[in-house]
Amino acid sequence: MDDLLIRSRRAVLPDGERPAAVSVRDGRITAVSDYAEGAPAAASVDLGDVALLPGLVDTHVHVNEPGRTEWEGFATATRAAAAGGVTTLVDMPLNSLPPTVDPAALKAKREAARGACAVDVGFWGGAVPGNLAELRPLHDLGVLGFKCFASDSGVPEFPPLSHEEMRAAFREIASFGGLVIVHAEDPAALSPPSGGGYPEFLASRPASAEVRAVQRVVRLAEETGVRAHILHLSAAGCLDVLAEARGAGLPVTAETCPHYLTLTAGEAVGTAFKCCPPIRGAANRELLWQGLADGLISCVVTDHSPCTPELKRGDFATAWGGVSSLQLGLPVVWTAARERGHRLDEVVRWMSEAPAALAAVPRKGGIVVGNDADLVAFAPDETLTVDPAALHHRHPVTPYEGRTLTGAVQTTWLRGGPAGGGGRLLRREGP
C-alpha cells in the first residue's frame, strides 16, 4: 500500500493541467493516475479545485550563513521557502563568511546547514580571482555550478573577475562539463549615484551595462564551450543578444526575478525596492514577459538577498541592494502572469521545471513517477494581502508590503511529508 494519495482536479503535470491522482511511497511518486483512480494508500487528500503543483526550485537564494547569520540563516530561509511552496533552494556562495570558494568553505557551509533545513538545499561554488585551482575540487565535491561577477559584488571577500580571469575560469569549468552563472553588469558602464533618490540610482546602473556584459559572456561561451547562465536579467535590451546566442546554438540561458516582472521604477518609494541590477520601467517589464513567452528567459527565481534592517536604512545611494521574496515569489508571479493571460503550467515551468533542469537537481521539478514527492497545494483564486508579520525570513522587509496578491500556498509536502523538517543537503550527481 502507498503512503499517500493526493487528488486534484487541477494537477499541473509536464503535459499540462488536468485532473489527476498522485501516489506516494517512501518519499517518491509511484504513479500518476486519473482523478477517480489511484491505488489504496494509508492516507489520502482530495484537494478538489485547489491546484497540485510540483515543489518550486529556487536556484538563486542568499542564505548568508555562516558568518552573516544575522542577515539570514538556513533555518529562517528554508522555513520561508516551505511557506512559499519552494521545496528545493540553491544557496549562493557569497555573503557568507567564508564564501564558498574552496573545499574548506563548502564544508563549513554544509556543517552550518546540516539539521537546520526545512527543505532540500544545494550549493553553488564561487569563481573569484585566485581560486582557479579550487574549481575542479569543488565540482568533485558536488557543487551545482559556479557563480562569478563581472562587476563589484558588494562584499570585499568575493571580488569580480577581470576579462582574462573570466576566460580562464570559463575554460576550466568547460573542461569538466560544469556550469557557470554570471552576474552580468559591465563595470565600465557603472558609476556612483549622483544623489540618494531612485532616479539617480537607476541612472548609475544603465541597461547598457547589462547588455555589454551579456555580450561578453556570450563571446566567451562561444570561445570556451562552457555552459553559461545569466543571472537576474533586468534589462530587456539583452534579449536580442540571447536570441542571437540561441540562433547560433550556444549553451547560454537566462533567468529573471519576480521584482523585475511585477515592479517598476516609478513604484520605488523606499529602499526595500533597491537591488542590482535595478528595477526598470514599465515598458522594459513587459518586454521581459515577452522574453519569457518566447523562451529567451527560461527561469524565474527570487534572488532572495536579505540583510539587517539597519543596512536597508538610508537612501538609494547607501542602502544594501537586495529584495527579499522567497516566501512570496509564487503568488507574486502568478498574480501578474494571469493578468497577462499566462497559464499556471507556464508558471510551473519557469519556477520549478526549468530551474531544476538548469542546476541538474536530481528528481525535482515535476510531478513525474520516480521524482521526489515534493508537492504544493496552491489555491490559484484565493487572495492574500502581504503582511510582513506573516513572513518567515529573518527580517520581514519587503517591497510587496500591503499588496493584494492572487494565489495562496495551502500545504507544502517534502518527499510526501509536511515540509518544515528533514530537508536534505543535495550534491550534484554524475561525472
Side-chain angles (χ1 to χ4, degrees):
M1 180 178 289
D2 289 318
D3 303 317
L4 178 65
L5 177 69
I6 306 176
R7 289 187 170 91
S8 170
R9 292 189 177 89
R10 298 192 63 180
V12 180
L13 308 176
D15 59 353
E17 182 182 313
R18 61 177 172 83
V22 178
S23 299
V24 177
R25 185 188 309 150
D26 296 331
R28 299 279 183 89
I29 297 171
T30 57
V32 180
S33 313
D34 290 338
Y35 177 81
E37 299 177 357
S44 63
V45 177
D46 193 332
L47 298 178
D49 292 327
V50 171
L52 182 65
L53 316 182
L56 303 190
V57 177
D58 192 338
T59 53
H60 198 145
V61 179
H62 294 269
V63 176
N64 306 332
E65 188 176 11
R68 289 192 176 99
T69 311
E70 71 274 15
W71 292 20
E72 186 65 283
F74 285 103
T76 50
T78 59
R79 190 160 59 242
V86 176
T87 52
T88 301
L89 64 82
V90 187
D91 175 54
M92 282 292 168
L94 72 156
N95 299 349
S96 56
L97 293 170
T100 316
V101 295
D102 57 43
L106 177 63
K107 180 181 179 182
K109 177 80 76 169
R110 285 181 166 146
E111 287 176 350
R114 189 168 289 112
C117 297
V119 301
D120 288 354
V121 175
F123 302 95
W124 297 115
V128 297
N131 85 325
L132 193 66
E134 309 291 354
L135 301 182
R136 187 179 290 267
L138 283 168
H139 176 79
D140 291 343
L141 287 169
V143 300
L144 302 178
F146 298 90
K147 182 176 187 176
C148 67
F149 277 75
S151 57
D152 180 51
S153 73
V155 291
E157 66 276 1
F158 203 97
L161 297 177
S162 69
H163 183 73
E164 289 306 315
E165 289 167 335
M166 189 173 287
R167 174 184 281 116
F170 279 26
R171 186 175 289 119
E172 173 68 7
I173 294 165
S175 73
F176 51 74
L179 170 70
V180 63
I181 61 176
V182 186
H183 181 122
E185 288 181 285
D186 185 345
L190 305 178
S191 60
S194 61
Y198 194 81
E200 293 88 352
F201 170 66
L202 181 60
S204 76
R205 306 186 86 95
S208 61
E210 284 191 79
V211 174
R212 287 162 55 172
V214 171
Q215 288 171 332
R216 180 168 65 158
V217 171
V218 169
R219 287 194 298 269
L220 287 177
E222 183 176 24
E223 177 184 335
T224 64
V226 77
R227 289 188 298 129
H229 180 73
I230 306 300
L231 298 169
H232 46 48
L233 189 76
S234 86
C238 298
L239 295 173
D240 288 342
V241 183
L242 294 170
E244 292 175 8
R246 185 168 71 172
L250 298 177
V252 180
T253 56
E255 69 187 35
T256 193
C257 304
H259 39 282
Y260 301 130
L261 293 170
T262 60
L263 305 176
T264 64
E267 299 171 276
V269 295
T271 56
F273 289 79
K274 182 180 178 181
C275 55
C276 299
I279 296 162
R280 305 189 188 276
N284 179 88
R285 177 188 64 187
E286 297 312 310
L287 290 172
L288 293 179
W289 279 104
Q290 188 60 51
L292 273 172
D294 293 342
L296 297 173
I297 302 171
S298 58
C299 304
V300 179
V301 291
T302 62
D303 189 10
H304 178 75
S305 186
C307 64
T308 62
E310 291 75 19
L311 290 174
K312 269 295 188 184
R313 294 186 184 131
D315 58 27
F316 283 99
T318 60
W320 176 261
V323 172
S324 299
S325 60
L326 185 55
Q327 186 172 334
L328 298 172
L330 178 56
V332 165
V333 173
W334 172 237
T335 299
R338 70 184 296 176
E339 290 172 354
R340 291 163 176 80
H342 292 291
R343 305 180 309 273
L344 194 52
D345 64 297
E346 294 177 276
V347 172
V348 165
R349 184 172 71 247
W350 302 328
M351 301 187 77
S352 181
E353 179 183 334
L358 168 74
V361 182
R363 296 177 299 281
K364 309 292 187 183
I367 300 177
V368 176
V369 172
N371 272 7
D372 289 344
D374 298 346
L375 302 164
V376 179
F378 181 66
D381 302 316
E382 186 176 326
T383 60
L384 63 93
T385 299
V386 177
D387 177 4
L391 300 178
H392 293 287
H393 59 268
R394 187 176 299 278
H395 303 291
V397 177
T398 173
Y400 302 106
E401 181 176 355
R403 289 180 180 248
T404 298
L405 304 176
T406 304
V409 172
Q410 294 188 343
T411 307
T412 302
W413 292 273
L414 182 68
R415 282 183 293 280
R424 296 177 181 172
L425 306 186
L426 306 177
R427 297 172 184 258
R428 179 191 50 79
E429 293 187 358

